[in-house]
Amino acid sequence: MAKALSLVILFSLLCKFTVGTGRATDLSAAINATAPAAAPFALSLRDDEDGGICDLLVTNQGYICEEHTVTTSDGYILSLQRIPVGISGGITPGKRTPVLLQHGVLMDGMTWLLLPPNQSLAFVLADNGYDVWIANSRGTKYSRGHVSLTTDDKDYWNWSWDELVNYDLPATVGYVHNQTGEKLHYIGHSQGTLIALASLSKGLLMDKLRSATLLCPIAYLGQMTSFLARVGVDLFIAKDLYWLDFKEFNPKGIDVANLLHNICNVPGVDCGDLMTAITGQNCCLQSSTVDLFLKYEPQPTSTKNMIHFAQMARRGTLAMYDYDDEYENMNHYGQPSPPEYTMTTIPDDFPLFFSYGGTDTLSDKSDVRILLDVLKGRDDSNGKFMTQYVNNYAHADYVMADAAKEEVYDLVLTFLKLH
């Protein structure tokens, strides 16, 4: 357990904290250090954040937006947002193919709405004739409900991404399928790609999905080169037991703030450019987009989820959560070690599109190529297996770069139209 927990720090940093670094430069300035200045686009930022995502970021752009909820079979109440038509209306909502967007760890559905409407993937899809649905994983701001637990209960946080595979994803996909009567396209970023790959490897949801688009795909993490992640491994092994006391992992909390403060005081660590140190050198972020990100993100997750990612990074494997106790593993899995997710069991003819960046140090190109090598030999006729490599893109570019539409999303649209 100690070895696994030492990598928890990586994911606390993954989505750019909103706390001070303990130095003269605060986080917003640190992240913006390399982001070019730009005139803010026309988006009303509200001081009160009690409204849902539709109210905050969609309807004020002139789009129709609906708030939905779905309850998982283990009792979590998740929010979804629907953009049924584009800005110009067009085809009636019932005739449009649904697309489900799934965010990464420590983020929520706002991931897809951070850029101007002509550049944000959610709006681009709606304007191109798709019925857009935005998912929000358990524990994030608008998905903190439960039928019997509150977020103050430790049991509320007793989950990792295994539960997102087994409960959240089936609930959201099933809900969209039932509401629309149509099979849907799936698009995920980071953790959103991981849960899709794991689900597909188990043969789940195949009757409800048309395709999967995976941006910054995560399956293997053993080659990850994020500098601050490796510093965290060396620095925080002795604090593992301390972290076990905290079931909710909140990037805005004082405990994570203190942890980041300690890391930033390690000789050789430059917290003046956190974005690059964490995600790799993003090429194309505007300061206005980063400011919008910092207004709404990052989001909480469970400490157990972070431990699970840590296990992946230390071991280079893709397996279910390891309780580091043979008895507990037997109790949960019927075997002394956790079962692995086998990528080769993903049906050969299921359409997949992968896009990954050359400077991404989280979804490192070496790890992605391990995944692609495992999947080699798949049926690539009629665009069923497509890959894209963007040499100068890092992790955040895929959802925040000002040229993401031209560099990535236009090819995503081409892929979707084939299926």
Side-chain angles (χ1 to χ4, degrees):
M1 181 69 73
K3 290 182 178 179
L5 283 173
S6 65
L7 257 172
V8 164
I9 178 60
L10 158 65
F11 300 96
S12 68
L13 295 172
L14 186 148
C15 286
K16 291 70 77 176
F17 295 96
T18 54
V19 298
T21 65
R23 295 185 179 181
T25 304
D26 67 15
L27 177 66
S28 180
I31 289 179
N32 274 314
T34 57
F41 59 89
L43 175 65
S44 300
L45 298 181
R46 294 173 34 158
D47 289 329
D48 83 273
E49 295 182 8
D50 293 332
I53 291 176
C54 280
D55 192 25
L56 289 169
L57 291 178
V58 182
T59 56
N60 56 0
Q61 295 297 329
Y63 290 79
I64 297 171
C65 189
E66 304 167 1
E67 293 281 357
H68 293 252
T69 59
V70 60
T71 302
T72 67
S73 60
D74 62 343
Y76 289 82
I77 302 170
L78 312 178
S79 76
L80 297 96
Q81 291 73 45
R82 183 188 193 185
I83 308 175
V85 295
I87 197 69
S88 58
I91 309 171
T92 58
K95 300 298 182 182
R96 297 160 71 95
T97 302
V99 180
L100 178 65
L101 301 177
Q102 178 64 59
H103 60 83
V105 67
L106 298 179
M107 297 187 74
D108 65 1
M110 290 188 179
T111 296
W112 310 104
L113 301 163
L114 296 173
L115 291 163
N118 64 341
Q119 298 173 5
S120 289
L121 183 56
F123 294 130
V124 168
L125 289 167
D127 288 336
N128 277 272
Y130 291 96
D131 181 2
V132 179
W133 294 77
I134 301 172
N136 297 271
S137 296
R138 62 180 66 189
T140 58
K141 180 174 181 179
Y142 299 106
S143 292
R144 293 174 73 83
H146 192 277
V147 296
S148 61
L149 301 171
T150 74
T151 55
D152 293 328
D153 296 318
K154 288 186 176 182
D155 284 346
Y156 177 94
W157 299 102
N158 185 22
W159 52 267
S160 79
W161 57 261
D162 284 333
E163 280 66 39
L164 305 187
V165 173
N166 293 326
Y167 300 107
D168 285 27
L169 194 58
T172 54
V173 169
Y175 184 84
V176 173
H177 183 264
N178 290 338
Q179 289 288 309
T180 63
E182 300 278 347
K183 294 178 73 172
L184 53 142
H185 295 292
Y186 178 94
I187 300 177
H189 176 248
S190 193
Q191 179 182 261
T193 71
L194 172 63
I195 63 175
L197 288 167
S199 177
L200 293 171
S201 76
K202 297 173 67 176
L204 303 178
L205 308 176
M206 300 302 302
D207 59 330
K208 298 179 176 65
L209 294 177
R210 294 171 178 263
S211 72
T213 294
L214 309 171
L215 308 178
C216 304
I218 298 288
Y220 305 101
L221 290 173
Q223 306 301 312
M224 182 180 55
T225 54
S226 174
F227 177 67
L228 282 186
R230 298 306 172 188
V231 171
V233 171
D234 294 336
L235 187 61
F236 285 96
I237 291 177
K239 297 193 180 234
D240 291 346
L241 292 177
Y242 172 80
W243 283 99
L244 281 175
D245 291 334
F246 296 89
K247 303 303 181 184
E248 177 182 7
F249 192 88
N250 185 357
K252 298 181 181 180
I254 187 63
D255 303 299
V256 176
N258 290 336
L259 187 127
L260 180 60
H261 173 83
N262 290 336
I263 285 184
C264 288
N265 283 309
V266 172
V269 175
D270 179 14
C271 285
D273 187 2
L274 280 176
M275 183 76 81
T276 297
I278 298 164
T279 69
Q281 183 64 60
N282 295 282
C283 72
C284 310
L285 307 186
Q286 299 292 341
S287 60
S288 57
T289 306
V290 175
D291 287 342
L292 184 59
F293 168 86
L294 291 172
K295 181 176 177 68
Y296 296 116
E297 311 291 343
Q299 295 289 325
T301 188
S302 72
T303 301
K304 185 177 180 180
N305 195 34
M306 304 321 251
I307 296 169
H308 196 173
F309 277 111
Q311 293 171 350
M312 294 171 62
R314 289 199 66 91
R315 301 170 188 177
T317 58
L318 178 54
M320 297 180 188
Y321 183 84
D322 190 350
Y323 290 88
D324 282 328
D325 180 280
E326 288 191 4
Y327 175 81
E328 284 298 320
N329 283 335
M330 287 292 297
N331 187 43
H332 285 86
Y333 309 122
Q335 59 187 62
S337 59
E340 293 193 6
Y341 292 98
T342 306
M343 294 294 97
T344 54
T345 60
I346 298 175
D348 185 62
D349 60 349
F350 182 80
L352 296 172
F353 172 63
F354 295 87
S355 184
Y356 62 108
T359 62
D360 191 338
T361 58
L362 294 173
S363 176
D364 189 90
K365 60 186 178 183
S366 296
D367 281 320
V368 176
R369 287 168 179 167
I370 291 172
L371 171 63
L372 295 178
D373 188 58
V374 170
L375 295 173
K376 68 182 179 181
R378 291 180 59 84
D379 179 5
D380 60 0
S381 63
N382 301 314
K384 288 181 181 176
F385 185 61
M386 293 176 58
T387 63
Q388 179 193 33
Y389 174 69
V390 185
N391 185 58
N392 62 337
Y393 263 36
H395 213 71
D397 283 313
Y398 277 87
V399 291
M400 295 169 64
D402 57 2
K405 179 185 180 298
E406 293 75 20
E407 293 284 353
V408 180
Y409 303 162
D410 284 348
L411 188 56
V412 171
L413 289 169
T414 298
F415 172 74
L416 297 184
K417 289 173 184 176
L418 292 172
H419 306 289

